[in-house]
Each structure stands twice: as structure tokens, then as C-alpha cells.
């Protein structure tokens, strides 16, 4: 890992935002309160076999009832910003019609609490929890869903736009489209490659329509962004076939969203590679211009790079068509690509720790989207954290992970990347989607039996970084 040699000089700009992130279904619980009805994640997690141990977000970390304490904890740690998502099903239970006041009021109280504590809120409108009724009407593969999203965006923008400056339309639409409708490991659990490409397009459209709807509903000073899980895709070798495989995965991971959102066009190579599956006739005139709505910033979520090669008889690994991994592929049109484990130390998710990937990512978008401010809207790691005998939770691996990745951010700043902030994933342990509660990403430990919160040593370490704008040494973490 790239630990900076002179840790005490790793200083950040004074305006840099030091935040933590969460999402609604992963933390709120209270799934039947205030008129909320099921989202696709309620349905999916209650379907046998879909999540580890059949776990659900029914209670999660009960943030809906404990938000005041959670904000007090953030303030105590010294965080400057908090990124959370709004549950569409609380605001518009059927995905249509007028907003439910109780739902909006919850988020207004949360925002006011944050502001009173000097913590800057960033609102994500959609973090994977589509109202079930909209899925029943066809979900993201249907165009209508994009229009419903724009209406929802307008309602939330109207309600919170006077007090929230930072807005994010979608979180990681790649996961919504390709894990939700391709591999089926996320809600709604469909496994249809054409549906996954249609979903990707309608998410692009939803982003553009939603961004415009937000602007129409809010003061002009507010910033509209999107959070993409921009993959860092590396070829196994410089062999032309491996380079081509890496480019194909890059199209399917990045170009499929960055193309329409940042340039108003799908990569030609993506259309060619997927031509055996679809002619993309669901793309209508004007859609790409709509998706290319002006952005004030780009949010990047980074965890680990991907290492790929072409299928040959010399190498082995899970194939993109799912062969050897799961039954279905989240990579339509890439059946001849193999995925490999990147070398190096791994987190509890099995994800390789590679801070250089974060540096590369920031420098890539500095080149490809010049002038667009960047935020790391998620970065973090799961480790097997356990309280010791006196109840304290020591997580030196997470401290090292954060130090290395924040050092990579600092290196990118030095080299000209306009990075405005960093949101640690996650504020606290929570419902890790199909992994249930077994993977702990939090800087704050949660005892799920009592809902007691205990800041891990990484939370103290990160809080000090946030308060001083300088990375403390790894050794200084208690
Ligand atoms: C994020 O998802 C989510 O936004 C968040 O809700 C979640 O809790 C958190 O991260 C931790 O999982 O290109 O084949 O190597 C991240 C999910 C993980 C999906 C990395 C893409 C790489 C696939 N991403 N994965 S590949």
C-alpha cells in the first residue's frame, strides 16, 4: 500500500468535506411506519434464499428512531458532512401521486438536526429501493419509471431544497441495472441481459430528468451530482486480447453511464458488443441529450479494482457469463471475459486493498471530465470487528485502509484533481444487502441485539483527520 512517507504533512484544503455515508434501506428500519409500503428490497430480502441468513432491513440499525443520537455521535466525532438517502417508499409509497407529509417530515427533522450540529447534509434520492408497485409495473426496464423518478425528485427537491445544498440523483446505477436485472443478486432479482441494458438506459434517462426536476424545484445555488461506481478495470497482461477485454468491461461498467451522462452518447464499442442482444431501439430521440443534463459535480464510489483477461485455455477464473461464479452474468455481451483476483491483501469482502486504484480513478476523471469537481461519495472496507473485553473496538486494518486511501486522494489533489470531499462508507455497521449483517463496514460498531453504538478506533482516527484536515499517523489510532 502507498502509505505516505511523511504522514504529518498530509494536509487537505480547508474547505475539504470530511463525511460519512449511509443509505435508507441499510439503516432506517421502521419499514411499516408513516405510511411506508414495500420497496423492491423489502420484497427481495423477504424472499427465501436471497440474503445471508434470510436477513432483512425490517429493523436494520433503527436509525428512523435513533437519528438524533446518530447525529450527536457524528458531531462528537467531528464529522463535517453526512450523505444519506431518501426512501422513495416513505415519500411516495406507490411511486406515484402526492408526497406523504410524515415521510418528508422525517428527512426535514434529520436535516435540521445535522445543520444545527454544523454537519453538511448530502441527499441521495435513489439508493436502490424502488417502490414495489413501480417494479410490478415493469421497473427500470420500463421507460415510465424514469418519469416517475423525475416526479419524486421534484417532490423531495421542493421539500428540502431550501436547506440541503448537495444533491445526488442516483447511487451506483450499475448495481441497479446489472445486479438487479442481470445477475439477480440484488433486488428485484431478475436475470435477463436485455432487461439489464434497458434498465441502464432508463436509469440514465431518470438521472437527466431527475436532475432537471430538482433544479426546477430548488434554489439555483444548490449542486446536483450523481454517484457512480466507476470501476477501475485492469488488464491481466498487455496482450491485445486482454486489453480488448478490459476495454469491454470498462464500457459496461463506466461508459454505459458516463457516456450518456457526461457526453450525451453511448460508446460505439458498447453498442457493437451488445448488438447480438439488442438493437437499443428503446433509446428514443432526445434521450441522450436529456441524460447529459448539466452536472455540478461527479461522485465516485471506489472499493477495489477489477482484473480481467480474455478467455484462453491458459488462464482460469470466473467468466463474465457467470460460468464458475454465479449462474447469470451482470456483464451482457462479455461472455468471453474472465475475472481474476487482484494480488494483495484483502478485506472481509474478499476485495483487494488497492489505494492506487483510487488515485488512478481521480486522475482519469480529471482528464475526461475537466472542470467538473469530484467527490469520493463512498470508500471503505469491511473487517471482522469484535469488541474486546472492556467493550472497545479496535480496527487497525480499517485505520490503515483509510490512511492509504486518503493519502491517494491527497496525491491526486497534489497532481491537479479537483476533489472537494470524501465520504467514508459507512458511518456505522448496517445491512450489507445480500450479505445481511455479517459484513461490517462501519466506523461505528453496532451491537445488533441492543442497538448500542460504539465508535471503533477508526472513527476516532477519522474524526481527528476531519477536525484537523491532516491525516494522523496510523500508529496514533488507539
Ligand atoms: C456500495 O456498493 C453501495 O453503494 C453500498 O450501499 C454498499 O453497502 C457498499 O458499497 C459496500 O458494498 O467490477 O466486477 O469487480 C458497492 C458494490 C462493489 C459493486 C464492487 C461493484 C465491483 C464489481 N460494488 N463491485 S467488478
Amino acid at each position: 500500500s502507498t502509505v505516505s512517507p511523511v504522514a504529518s504533512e498530509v494536509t487537505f484544503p480547508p474547505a475539504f468535506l470530511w463525511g460519512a455515508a449511509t443509505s435508507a434501506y441499510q439503516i432506517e428500519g421502521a419499514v411499516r411506519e408513516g405510511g411506508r409500503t414495500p420497496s423492491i428490497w423489502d420484497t427481495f430480502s423477504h424472499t427465501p434464499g436471497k440474503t445471508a441468513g434470510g436477513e432483512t432491513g425490517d429493523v436494520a440499525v433503527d436509525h428512523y428512531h435513533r437519528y438524533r443520537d446518530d447525529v450527536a455521535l457524528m458531531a462528537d466525532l467531528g464529522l463535517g458532512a453526512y450523505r444519506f438517502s431518501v426512501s422513495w417508499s416513505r415519500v411516495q409509497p406507490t411511486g406515484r401521486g402526492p408526497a406523504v407529509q410524515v415521510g418528508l417530515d422525517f428527512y426535514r427533522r434529520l436535516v435540521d438536526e445535522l445543520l444545527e450540529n454544523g454537519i453538511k447534509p448530502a441527499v441521495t434520492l435513489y439508493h436502490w429501493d424502488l417502490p414495489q408497485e413501480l417494479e410490478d409495473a415493469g421497473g427500470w426496464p420500463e421507460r415510465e419509471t424514469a418519469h416517475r423518478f423525475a416526479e419524486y425528485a421534484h417532490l423531495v427537491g421542493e421539500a428540502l431544497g431550501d436547506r440541503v445544498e448537495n444533491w445526488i440523483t442516483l447511487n451506483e446505477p450499475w448495481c441497479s441495472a446489472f445486479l438487479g436485472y442481470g445477475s439477480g443478486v440484488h433486488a428485484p432479482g431478475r436475470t435477463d441481459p436485455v432487461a439489464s441494458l434497458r434498465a441502464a438506459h432508463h436509469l440514465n434517462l431518470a438521472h437527466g430528468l431527475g436532475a432537471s426536476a430538482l433544479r426546477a424545484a430548488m434554489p439555483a445555488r444548490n449542486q446536483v451530482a450523481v454517484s457512480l461506481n466507476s470501476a477501475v478495470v485492469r488488464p491481466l497482461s498487455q496482450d491485445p486480447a486482454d486489453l480488448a477485454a478490459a476495454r469491454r468491461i470498462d464500457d459496461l461498467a463506466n461508459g454505459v453511464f458516463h457516456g450518456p451522462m457526461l457526453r450525451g452518447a453511448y460508446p460505439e464499442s458498447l453498442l457493437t458488443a451488445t448488438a447480438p442482444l439488442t438493437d437499443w431501439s428503446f433509446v428514443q430521440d432526445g434521450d441522450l441529450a436529456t441524460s447529459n443534463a448539466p452536472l455540478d459535480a461527479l461522485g465516485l464510489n471506489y472499493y477495489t479494482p477489477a482484473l480481467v483477461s480474455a478467455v484462453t485455455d491458459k488462464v482460469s477464473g470466473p467468466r463474465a457469463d457467470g460460468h464458475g461464479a454465479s449462474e447469470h452474468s451482470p456483464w451482457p455481451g462479455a461472455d468471453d471475459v474472465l475475472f481474476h483476483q487482484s494480488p494483495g491483501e484483502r478485506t472481509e469482502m474478499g476485495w483487494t486493498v488497492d489505494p492506487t486504484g483510487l488515485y488512478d480513478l481521480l486522475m482519469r476523471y480529471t482528464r475526461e471530465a475537466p472542470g467538473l469537481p469530484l467527490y469520493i461519495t463512498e470508500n471503505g472496507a469491511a473487517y471482522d470487528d469484535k469488541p474486546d473485553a472492556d467493550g472497545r473496538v479496535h480496527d487497525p486494518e480499517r485505520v490503515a485502509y483509510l490512511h492509504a486511501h486518503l493519502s491517494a486522494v491527497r496525491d491526486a489533489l497534489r497532481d491537479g484533481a479537483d476533489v472537494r470531499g470524501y465520504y467514508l462508507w459507512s458511518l456505522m455497521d448496517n445491512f450489507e444487502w445480500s450479505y445481511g449483517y455479517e459484513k461490517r463496514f462501519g466506523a461505528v460498531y453496532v451491537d445488533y441485539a441492543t442497538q448500542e453504538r460504539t465508535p471503533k478506533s477508526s472513527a476516532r482516527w477519522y474524526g481527528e483527520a476531519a477536525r484537523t484536515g491532516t491525516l494522523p499517523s496510523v500508529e496514533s489510532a488507539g
Side-chain angles (χ1 to χ4, degrees), residues 409-431:
V409 172
R410 181 64 191 80
D411 289 348
L413 278 163
R414 176 200 63 205
D415 295 343
D418 183 10
V419 194
R420 302 286 177 93
Y422 174 97
Y423 296 87
L424 188 168
W425 184 273
S426 177
L427 172 67
M428 52 195 163
D429 295 335
N430 59 47
F431 177 72

Side-chain angles (χ1 to χ4, degrees), residues 89-166:
S89 303
R90 273 192 208 290
V91 171
Q92 255 189 329
T94 63
R96 296 183 170 83
V100 171
Q101 202 52 45
V102 188
L104 289 175
D105 284 348
F106 168 68
Y107 296 106
R108 198 175 287 143
R109 288 197 307 272
L110 170 62
V111 165
D112 287 347
E113 199 74 18
L114 289 163
L115 293 173
E116 276 163 33
N117 282 279
I119 299 167
K120 191 164 189 168
V123 171
T124 304
L125 288 173
Y126 186 74
H127 200 124
W128 307 351
D129 46 357
L130 190 71
Q132 182 61 45
E133 283 203 27
L134 293 185
E135 174 58 24
D136 295 343
W140 287 113
E142 293 307 318
R143 190 177 177 85
E144 177 64 11
T145 306
H147 291 285
R148 298 282 62 79
F149 177 76
E151 198 178 284
Y152 158 67
H154 196 272
L155 292 173
V156 182
E158 255 182 343
L160 301 178
D162 60 339
R163 55 199 85 187
V164 175
E165 271 177 43
N166 288 358

Side-chain angles (χ1 to χ4, degrees), residues 17 19-20 52 69 82 126 130 165 187 205 214 218 268 297 317 336 342 365 372 392 412 417-418 431:
L17 282 186
D69 294 343
Y82 176 54
Y126 186 74
L130 190 71
E165 271 177 43
L205 188 61
L214 268 180
M218 306 190 307
E268 212 43 63
D336 52 346
S342 302
Y365 289 100
L372 196 57
R392 285 201 280 232
D418 183 10
F431 177 72

Side-chain angles (χ1 to χ4, degrees), residues 10 22 24 44 58-59 63 81 134 185-186 221 244 266 306 308 318 320 322-323 331 338 416 431 433 444:
V10 180
T22 62
F44 188 76
D58 285 4
V59 178
H63 172 76
L134 293 185
V185 302
H186 279 190
R221 65 169 183 273
Y266 284 107
V308 306
H323 178 85
W331 305 105
L338 285 166
F431 177 72
W433 307 112
V444 173

Side-chain angles (χ1 to χ4, degrees), residues 398-416:
R398 187 173 288 99
V399 172
Y401 183 100
L402 296 175
H403 188 284
H405 286 77
L406 282 157
S407 298
V409 172
R410 181 64 191 80
D411 289 348
L413 278 163
R414 176 200 63 205
D415 295 343

